[in-house]
Amino acid sequence: MMLGDNYIKVMENIKAACKRAGRDESEVTLISVSKTKPVSDIEEVYKAGSRDFGENKVQEILEKTPVLPDDINWHMIGHLQTNKVKQVIDKTVLIHSVDSLHLAKEIEKQAAKKDIIVNILLEVNVAKEDSKFGLYDNESVYELAEECAKMPHLKVQGLMTIAPYTDNPDSNRPYFKKLKELSVDIMRKNIDNISMDVLSMGMTGDYEVAIEEGATMVRVGTGIFGERNYAI
């Protein structure tokens, strides 16, 4: 099966999940996770209709953006080191992985220098897995949201989580429910400059369940591009 066909199949699954949940398919954005994948693969998926691509490493975004179409929306979905912030903030539509005040302050500082507003998501480690980044508890998320609200060059658009790897997608449903509930709680606080329109959750193994629980962005890599090359 060609990569373009994989992309179309995932889009069909998204449509079906939206139908089951009584949602409009236009509410969900599919991010094709192209980390470690060559430009030729991205071009193939682009031709099939994908315009949103996700990368884990700043270096890959810097290498790929100049040689791929300008209308691609690049998403920074991996852990972002503060020393790489200035290289990437004007090349991405959304940074999904802000999990500390230290990082938020650096993004604000570099965005102010470029006089741009940077869209971000707060990363929440809902499953409290040691191997993953993200804020552990609701209080930390509220506090970081309040601090980010004071930064004129940052716009918090919502929340992101990486659920545990599992062969049983339903086992991740509680984590997706929790992230949705947290976003509703934050919305009720009516913090200026904070929006909860985006819920980035769900990957190849569980994106349909995530959509049923309210995801507005799903990040699918293996389901489109095949297995990652871990040697890179």
PDB file of all heavy atoms in Angstrom, residues 52-81:
ATOM      1  N   ASP A  52      -0.690  19.198   7.274  1.00  0.00           N
ATOM      2  CA  ASP A  52      -0.160  19.344   8.633  1.00  0.00           C
ATOM      3  C   ASP A  52       0.795  18.200   8.920  1.00  0.00           C
ATOM      4  O   ASP A  52       0.411  17.028   8.856  1.00  0.00           O
ATOM      5  CB  ASP A  52      -1.302  19.354   9.656  1.00  0.00           C
ATOM      6  CG  ASP A  52      -2.110  20.636   9.589  1.00  0.00           C
ATOM      7  OD1 ASP A  52      -3.042  20.719   8.763  1.00  0.00           O
ATOM      8  OD2 ASP A  52      -1.784  21.569  10.342  1.00  0.00           O
ATOM      9  N   PHE A  53       2.051  18.567   9.224  1.00  0.00           N
ATOM     10  CA  PHE A  53       3.071  17.554   9.507  1.00  0.00           C
ATOM     11  C   PHE A  53       3.708  17.837  10.862  1.00  0.00           C
ATOM     12  O   PHE A  53       3.912  19.001  11.225  1.00  0.00           O
ATOM     13  CB  PHE A  53       4.132  17.548   8.401  1.00  0.00           C
ATOM     14  CG  PHE A  53       3.631  16.997   7.092  1.00  0.00           C
ATOM     15  CD1 PHE A  53       2.986  17.811   6.173  1.00  0.00           C
ATOM     16  CD2 PHE A  53       3.779  15.646   6.787  1.00  0.00           C
ATOM     17  CE1 PHE A  53       2.498  17.305   4.970  1.00  0.00           C
ATOM     18  CE2 PHE A  53       3.303  15.122   5.581  1.00  0.00           C
ATOM     19  CZ  PHE A  53       2.659  15.955   4.677  1.00  0.00           C
ATOM     20  N   GLY A  54       4.019  16.766  11.584  1.00  0.00           N
ATOM     21  CA  GLY A  54       4.607  16.904  12.920  1.00  0.00           C
ATOM     22  C   GLY A  54       6.009  16.365  12.975  1.00  0.00           C
ATOM     23  O   GLY A  54       6.306  15.298  12.418  1.00  0.00           O
ATOM     24  N   GLU A  55       6.878  17.112  13.644  1.00  0.00           N
ATOM     25  CA  GLU A  55       8.274  16.691  13.813  1.00  0.00           C
ATOM     26  C   GLU A  55       8.652  16.718  15.297  1.00  0.00           C
ATOM     27  O   GLU A  55       8.151  17.529  16.058  1.00  0.00           O
ATOM     28  CB  GLU A  55       9.204  17.622  13.028  1.00  0.00           C
ATOM     29  CG  GLU A  55       9.109  17.474  11.506  1.00  0.00           C
ATOM     30  CD  GLU A  55       9.735  16.179  10.979  1.00  0.00           C
ATOM     31  OE1 GLU A  55      10.481  15.530  11.729  1.00  0.00           O
ATOM     32  OE2 GLU A  55       9.465  15.832   9.817  1.00  0.00           O
ATOM     33  N   ASN A  56       9.570  15.827  15.646  1.00  0.00           N
ATOM     34  CA  ASN A  56      10.049  15.735  17.030  1.00  0.00           C
ATOM     35  C   ASN A  56      11.291  16.565  17.286  1.00  0.00           C
ATOM     36  O   ASN A  56      11.573  16.924  18.414  1.00  0.00           O
ATOM     37  CB  ASN A  56      10.405  14.280  17.350  1.00  0.00           C
ATOM     38  CG  ASN A  56       9.315  13.604  18.135  1.00  0.00           C
ATOM     39  OD1 ASN A  56       8.141  13.911  17.946  1.00  0.00           O
ATOM     40  ND2 ASN A  56       9.693  12.713  19.022  1.00  0.00           N
ATOM     41  N   LYS A  57      12.042  16.809  16.201  1.00  0.00           N
ATOM     42  CA  LYS A  57      13.342  17.471  16.376  1.00  0.00           C
ATOM     43  C   LYS A  57      13.416  18.747  15.556  1.00  0.00           C
ATOM     44  O   LYS A  57      13.030  18.775  14.382  1.00  0.00           O
ATOM     45  CB  LYS A  57      14.464  16.522  15.957  1.00  0.00           C
ATOM     46  CG  LYS A  57      14.569  15.326  16.903  1.00  0.00           C
ATOM     47  CD  LYS A  57      15.787  14.478  16.627  1.00  0.00           C
ATOM     48  CE  LYS A  57      15.934  13.409  17.695  1.00  0.00           C
ATOM     49  NZ  LYS A  57      16.685  12.263  17.266  1.00  0.00           N
ATOM     50  N   VAL A  58      13.950  19.776  16.184  1.00  0.00           N
ATOM     51  CA  VAL A  58      14.112  21.071  15.523  1.00  0.00           C
ATOM     52  C   VAL A  58      14.951  20.918  14.257  1.00  0.00           C
ATOM     53  O   VAL A  58      14.629  21.489  13.211  1.00  0.00           O
ATOM     54  CB  VAL A  58      14.752  22.089  16.494  1.00  0.00           C
ATOM     55  CG1 VAL A  58      15.153  23.364  15.765  1.00  0.00           C
ATOM     56  CG2 VAL A  58      13.784  22.403  17.637  1.00  0.00           C
ATOM     57  N   GLN A  59      16.007  20.133  14.345  1.00  0.00           N
ATOM     58  CA  GLN A  59      16.913  19.949  13.210  1.00  0.00           C
ATOM     59  C   GLN A  59      16.170  19.467  11.961  1.00  0.00           C
ATOM     60  O   GLN A  59      16.437  19.910  10.850  1.00  0.00           O
ATOM     61  CB  GLN A  59      18.026  18.953  13.587  1.00  0.00           C
ATOM     62  CG  GLN A  59      19.184  18.895  12.601  1.00  0.00           C
ATOM     63  CD  GLN A  59      19.813  20.257  12.304  1.00  0.00           C
ATOM     64  OE1 GLN A  59      19.969  21.084  13.201  1.00  0.00           O
ATOM     65  NE2 GLN A  59      20.136  20.515  11.052  1.00  0.00           N
ATOM     66  N   GLU A  60      15.234  18.550  12.172  1.00  0.00           N
ATOM     67  CA  GLU A  60      14.489  18.026  11.017  1.00  0.00           C
ATOM     68  C   GLU A  60      13.588  19.090  10.400  1.00  0.00           C
ATOM     69  O   GLU A  60      13.427  19.163   9.177  1.00  0.00           O
ATOM     70  CB  GLU A  60      13.679  16.793  11.426  1.00  0.00           C
ATOM     71  CG  GLU A  60      14.540  15.559  11.587  1.00  0.00           C
ATOM     72  CD  GLU A  60      13.748  14.269  11.475  1.00  0.00           C
ATOM     73  OE1 GLU A  60      13.203  13.974  10.399  1.00  0.00           O
ATOM     74  OE2 GLU A  60      13.661  13.566  12.491  1.00  0.00           O
ATOM     75  N   ILE A  61      12.995  19.922  11.232  1.00  0.00           N
ATOM     76  CA  ILE A  61      12.161  21.017  10.707  1.00  0.00           C
ATOM     77  C   ILE A  61      13.025  21.964   9.884  1.00  0.00           C
ATOM     78  O   ILE A  61      12.647  22.372   8.784  1.00  0.00           O
ATOM     79  CB  ILE A  61      11.445  21.773  11.857  1.00  0.00           C
ATOM     80  CG1 ILE A  61      10.402  20.855  12.513  1.00  0.00           C
ATOM     81  CG2 ILE A  61      10.775  23.052  11.344  1.00  0.00           C
ATOM     82  CD1 ILE A  61       9.695  21.444  13.715  1.00  0.00           C
ATOM     83  N   LEU A  62      14.202  22.293  10.410  1.00  0.00           N
ATOM     84  CA  LEU A  62      15.101  23.219   9.704  1.00  0.00           C
ATOM     85  C   LEU A  62      15.556  22.648   8.359  1.00  0.00           C
ATOM     86  O   LEU A  62      15.713  23.385   7.388  1.00  0.00           O
ATOM     87  CB  LEU A  62      16.322  23.539  10.572  1.00  0.00           C
ATOM     88  CG  LEU A  62      16.050  24.239  11.909  1.00  0.00           C
ATOM     89  CD1 LEU A  62      17.352  24.468  12.664  1.00  0.00           C
ATOM     90  CD2 LEU A  62      15.301  25.538  11.716  1.00  0.00           C
ATOM     91  N   GLU A  63      15.742  21.334   8.307  1.00  0.00           N
ATOM     92  CA  GLU A  63      16.196  20.706   7.060  1.00  0.00           C
ATOM     93  C   GLU A  63      15.068  20.552   6.039  1.00  0.00           C
ATOM     94  O   GLU A  63      15.282  20.663   4.836  1.00  0.00           O
ATOM     95  CB  GLU A  63      16.790  19.315   7.357  1.00  0.00           C
ATOM     96  CG  GLU A  63      18.166  19.388   8.006  1.00  0.00           C
ATOM     97  CD  GLU A  63      18.605  18.048   8.608  1.00  0.00           C
ATOM     98  OE1 GLU A  63      17.899  17.033   8.399  1.00  0.00           O
ATOM     99  OE2 GLU A  63      19.643  18.020   9.296  1.00  0.00           O
ATOM    100  N   LYS A  64      13.866  20.313   6.536  1.00  0.00           N
ATOM    101  CA  LYS A  64      12.755  19.991   5.629  1.00  0.00           C
ATOM    102  C   LYS A  64      11.993  21.216   5.115  1.00  0.00           C
ATOM    103  O   LYS A  64      11.506  21.202   3.982  1.00  0.00           O
ATOM    104  CB  LYS A  64      11.790  19.017   6.323  1.00  0.00           C
ATOM    105  CG  LYS A  64      12.391  17.622   6.503  1.00  0.00           C
ATOM    106  CD  LYS A  64      11.533  16.733   7.384  1.00  0.00           C
ATOM    107  CE  LYS A  64      12.161  15.347   7.568  1.00  0.00           C
ATOM    108  NZ  LYS A  64      11.399  14.491   8.484  1.00  0.00           N
ATOM    109  N   THR A  65      11.878  22.252   5.946  1.00  0.00           N
ATOM    110  CA  THR A  65      11.055  23.396   5.518  1.00  0.00           C
ATOM    111  C   THR A  65      11.524  24.045   4.215  1.00  0.00           C
ATOM    112  O   THR A  65      10.687  24.370   3.381  1.00  0.00           O
ATOM    113  CB  THR A  65      10.932  24.481   6.622  1.00  0.00           C
ATOM    114  OG1 THR A  65      12.205  24.696   7.219  1.00  0.00           O
ATOM    115  CG2 THR A  65       9.953  24.100   7.681  1.00  0.00           C
ATOM    116  N   PRO A  66      12.828  24.225   3.990  1.00  0.00           N
ATOM    117  CA  PRO A  66      13.224  24.930   2.760  1.00  0.00           C
ATOM    118  C   PRO A  66      12.938  24.149   1.480  1.00  0.00           C
ATOM    119  O   PRO A  66      12.842  24.741   0.411  1.00  0.00           O
ATOM    120  CB  PRO A  66      14.736  25.135   2.932  1.00  0.00           C
ATOM    121  CG  PRO A  66      15.068  24.756   4.326  1.00  0.00           C
ATOM    122  CD  PRO A  66      14.009  23.843   4.801  1.00  0.00           C
ATOM    123  N   VAL A  67      12.819  22.829   1.569  1.00  0.00           N
ATOM    124  CA  VAL A  67      12.712  22.024   0.344  1.00  0.00           C
ATOM    125  C   VAL A  67      11.302  21.470   0.118  1.00  0.00           C
ATOM    126  O   VAL A  67      11.063  20.725  -0.834  1.00  0.00           O
ATOM    127  CB  VAL A  67      13.735  20.851   0.355  1.00  0.00           C
ATOM    128  CG1 VAL A  67      15.146  21.389   0.297  1.00  0.00           C
ATOM    129  CG2 VAL A  67      13.553  19.954   1.574  1.00  0.00           C
ATOM    130  N   LEU A  68      10.369  21.842   0.977  1.00  0.00           N
ATOM    131  CA  LEU A  68       8.990  21.362   0.839  1.00  0.00           C
ATOM    132  C   LEU A  68       8.041  22.539   0.646  1.00  0.00           C
ATOM    133  O   LEU A  68       8.396  23.684   0.933  1.00  0.00           O
ATOM    134  CB  LEU A  68       8.610  20.531   2.074  1.00  0.00           C
ATOM    135  CG  LEU A  68       9.203  19.105   2.050  1.00  0.00           C
ATOM    136  CD1 LEU A  68       9.312  18.532   3.445  1.00  0.00           C
ATOM    137  CD2 LEU A  68       8.381  18.180   1.153  1.00  0.00           C
ATOM    138  N   PRO A  69       6.807  22.300   0.154  1.00  0.00           N
ATOM    139  CA  PRO A  69       5.893  23.400  -0.160  1.00  0.00           C
ATOM    140  C   PRO A  69       5.628  24.342   1.023  1.00  0.00           C
ATOM    141  O   PRO A  69       5.584  23.910   2.176  1.00  0.00           O
ATOM    142  CB  PRO A  69       4.605  22.672  -0.572  1.00  0.00           C
ATOM    143  CG  PRO A  69       5.069  21.339  -1.082  1.00  0.00           C
ATOM    144  CD  PRO A  69       6.252  20.989  -0.237  1.00  0.00           C
ATOM    145  N   ASP A  70       5.437  25.613   0.677  1.00  0.00           N
ATOM    146  CA  ASP A  70       5.241  26.661   1.690  1.00  0.00           C
ATOM    147  C   ASP A  70       3.929  26.535   2.449  1.00  0.00           C
ATOM    148  O   ASP A  70       3.777  27.115   3.519  1.00  0.00           O
ATOM    149  CB  ASP A  70       5.270  28.054   1.034  1.00  0.00           C
ATOM    150  CG  ASP A  70       6.665  28.405   0.551  1.00  0.00           C
ATOM    151  OD1 ASP A  70       7.621  27.766   1.023  1.00  0.00           O
ATOM    152  OD2 ASP A  70       6.789  29.308  -0.296  1.00  0.00           O
ATOM    153  N   ASP A  71       2.960  25.827   1.867  1.00  0.00           N
ATOM    154  CA  ASP A  71       1.654  25.779   2.546  1.00  0.00           C
ATOM    155  C   ASP A  71       1.550  24.632   3.554  1.00  0.00           C
ATOM    156  O   ASP A  71       0.469  24.346   4.073  1.00  0.00           O
ATOM    157  CB  ASP A  71       0.506  25.705   1.527  1.00  0.00           C
ATOM    158  CG  ASP A  71       0.546  24.439   0.675  1.00  0.00           C
ATOM    159  OD1 ASP A  71       1.615  23.795   0.598  1.00  0.00           O
ATOM    160  OD2 ASP A  71      -0.498  24.102   0.074  1.00  0.00           O
ATOM    161  N   ILE A  72       2.679  23.998   3.856  1.00  0.00           N
ATOM    162  CA  ILE A  72       2.673  22.982   4.923  1.00  0.00           C
ATOM    163  C   ILE A  72       2.664  23.676   6.277  1.00  0.00           C
ATOM    164  O   ILE A  72       3.394  24.634   6.511  1.00  0.00           O
ATOM    165  CB  ILE A  72       3.917  22.054   4.817  1.00  0.00           C
ATOM    166  CG1 ILE A  72       3.751  21.099   3.625  1.00  0.00           C
ATOM    167  CG2 ILE A  72       4.120  21.252   6.109  1.00  0.00           C
ATOM    168  CD1 ILE A  72       4.920  20.150   3.410  1.00  0.00           C
ATOM    169  N   ASN A  73       1.804  23.180   7.171  1.00  0.00           N
ATOM    170  CA  ASN A  73       1.794  23.639   8.561  1.00  0.00           C
ATOM    171  C   ASN A  73       2.656  22.681   9.372  1.00  0.00           C
ATOM    172  O   ASN A  73       2.317  21.502   9.509  1.00  0.00           O
ATOM    173  CB  ASN A  73       0.360  23.617   9.128  1.00  0.00           C
ATOM    174  CG  ASN A  73      -0.574  24.495   8.344  1.00  0.00           C
ATOM    175  OD1 ASN A  73      -0.249  25.637   8.033  1.00  0.00           O
ATOM    176  ND2 ASN A  73      -1.751  23.977   8.007  1.00  0.00           N
ATOM    177  N   TRP A  74       3.757  23.197   9.907  1.00  0.00           N
ATOM    178  CA  TRP A  74       4.664  22.359  10.693  1.00  0.00           C
ATOM    179  C   TRP A  74       4.309  22.451  12.170  1.00  0.00           C
ATOM    180  O   TRP A  74       4.127  23.536  12.704  1.00  0.00           O
ATOM    181  CB  TRP A  74       6.119  22.785  10.477  1.00  0.00           C
ATOM    182  CG  TRP A  74       6.592  22.501   9.089  1.00  0.00           C
ATOM    183  CD1 TRP A  74       6.671  23.383   8.050  1.00  0.00           C
ATOM    184  CD2 TRP A  74       7.031  21.241   8.571  1.00  0.00           C
ATOM    185  NE1 TRP A  74       7.134  22.752   6.909  1.00  0.00           N
ATOM    186  CE2 TRP A  74       7.365  21.433   7.202  1.00  0.00           C
ATOM    187  CE3 TRP A  74       7.184  19.959   9.120  1.00  0.00           C
ATOM    188  CZ2 TRP A  74       7.832  20.403   6.391  1.00  0.00           C
ATOM    189  CZ3 TRP A  74       7.654  18.938   8.306  1.00  0.00           C
ATOM    190  CH2 TRP A  74       7.976  19.157   6.968  1.00  0.00           C
ATOM    191  N   HIS A  75       4.242  21.300  12.818  1.00  0.00           N
ATOM    192  CA  HIS A  75       3.935  21.219  14.251  1.00  0.00           C
ATOM    193  C   HIS A  75       5.148  20.658  14.976  1.00  0.00           C
ATOM    194  O   HIS A  75       5.683  19.616  14.586  1.00  0.00           O
ATOM    195  CB  HIS A  75       2.748  20.280  14.494  1.00  0.00           C
ATOM    196  CG  HIS A  75       1.464  20.753  13.877  1.00  0.00           C
ATOM    197  ND1 HIS A  75       0.432  21.279  14.619  1.00  0.00           N
ATOM    198  CD2 HIS A  75       1.050  20.778  12.580  1.00  0.00           C
ATOM    199  CE1 HIS A  75      -0.570  21.605  13.803  1.00  0.00           C
ATOM    200  NE2 HIS A  75      -0.222  21.309  12.567  1.00  0.00           N
ATOM    201  N   MET A  76       5.570  21.348  16.027  1.00  0.00           N
ATOM    202  CA  MET A  76       6.653  20.827  16.874  1.00  0.00           C
ATOM    203  C   MET A  76       6.004  19.978  17.955  1.00  0.00           C
ATOM    204  O   MET A  76       5.343  20.515  18.854  1.00  0.00           O
ATOM    205  CB  MET A  76       7.446  21.990  17.486  1.00  0.00           C
ATOM    206  CG  MET A  76       8.573  21.545  18.407  1.00  0.00           C
ATOM    207  SD  MET A  76       9.835  20.585  17.520  1.00  0.00           S
ATOM    208  CE  MET A  76      10.740  19.860  18.882  1.00  0.00           C
ATOM    209  N   ILE A  77       6.139  18.666  17.845  1.00  0.00           N
ATOM    210  CA  ILE A  77       5.426  17.793  18.781  1.00  0.00           C
ATOM    211  C   ILE A  77       6.354  17.139  19.798  1.00  0.00           C
ATOM    212  O   ILE A  77       5.901  16.529  20.766  1.00  0.00           O
ATOM    213  CB  ILE A  77       4.609  16.715  18.034  1.00  0.00           C
ATOM    214  CG1 ILE A  77       5.512  15.837  17.176  1.00  0.00           C
ATOM    215  CG2 ILE A  77       3.514  17.357  17.193  1.00  0.00           C
ATOM    216  CD1 ILE A  77       4.803  14.662  16.517  1.00  0.00           C
ATOM    217  N   GLY A  78       7.668  17.262  19.582  1.00  0.00           N
ATOM    218  CA  GLY A  78       8.621  16.639  20.501  1.00  0.00           C
ATOM    219  C   GLY A  78       9.044  17.602  21.603  1.00  0.00           C
ATOM    220  O   GLY A  78       8.702  18.780  21.595  1.00  0.00           O
ATOM    221  N   HIS A  79       9.795  17.086  22.539  1.00  0.00           N
ATOM    222  CA  HIS A  79      10.324  17.910  23.637  1.00  0.00           C
ATOM    223  C   HIS A  79      11.211  19.004  23.051  1.00  0.00           C
ATOM    224  O   HIS A  79      12.082  18.735  22.225  1.00  0.00           O
ATOM    225  CB  HIS A  79      11.119  17.026  24.593  1.00  0.00           C
ATOM    226  CG  HIS A  79      11.708  17.783  25.747  1.00  0.00           C
ATOM    227  ND1 HIS A  79      10.923  18.399  26.698  1.00  0.00           N
ATOM    228  CD2 HIS A  79      12.992  18.028  26.088  1.00  0.00           C
ATOM    229  CE1 HIS A  79      11.717  18.993  27.574  1.00  0.00           C
ATOM    230  NE2 HIS A  79      12.969  18.787  27.228  1.00  0.00           N
ATOM    231  N   LEU A  80      10.969  20.234  23.466  1.00  0.00           N
ATOM    232  CA  LEU A  80      11.723  21.373  22.919  1.00  0.00           C
ATOM    233  C   LEU A  80      12.710  21.900  23.954  1.00  0.00           C
ATOM    234  O   LEU A  80      12.325  22.291  25.051  1.00  0.00           O
ATOM    235  CB  LEU A  80      10.742  22.484  22.503  1.00  0.00           C
ATOM    236  CG  LEU A  80      11.348  23.756  21.908  1.00  0.00           C
ATOM    237  CD1 LEU A  80      12.212  23.463  20.681  1.00  0.00           C
ATOM    238  CD2 LEU A  80      10.241  24.749  21.545  1.00  0.00           C
ATOM    239  N   GLN A  81      13.998  21.888  23.578  1.00  0.00           N
ATOM    240  CA  GLN A  81      15.028  22.424  24.477  1.00  0.00           C
ATOM    241  C   GLN A  81      15.063  23.942  24.323  1.00  0.00           C
ATOM    242  O   GLN A  81      14.924  24.467  23.216  1.00  0.00           O
ATOM    243  CB  GLN A  81      16.384  21.831  24.108  1.00  0.00           C
ATOM    244  CG  GLN A  81      16.463  20.333  24.347  1.00  0.00           C
ATOM    245  CD  GLN A  81      17.692  19.735  23.668  1.00  0.00           C
ATOM    246  OE1 GLN A  81      17.851  19.817  22.449  1.00  0.00           O
ATOM    247  NE2 GLN A  81      18.560  19.135  24.463  1.00  0.00           N
TER     248      GLN A  81
END
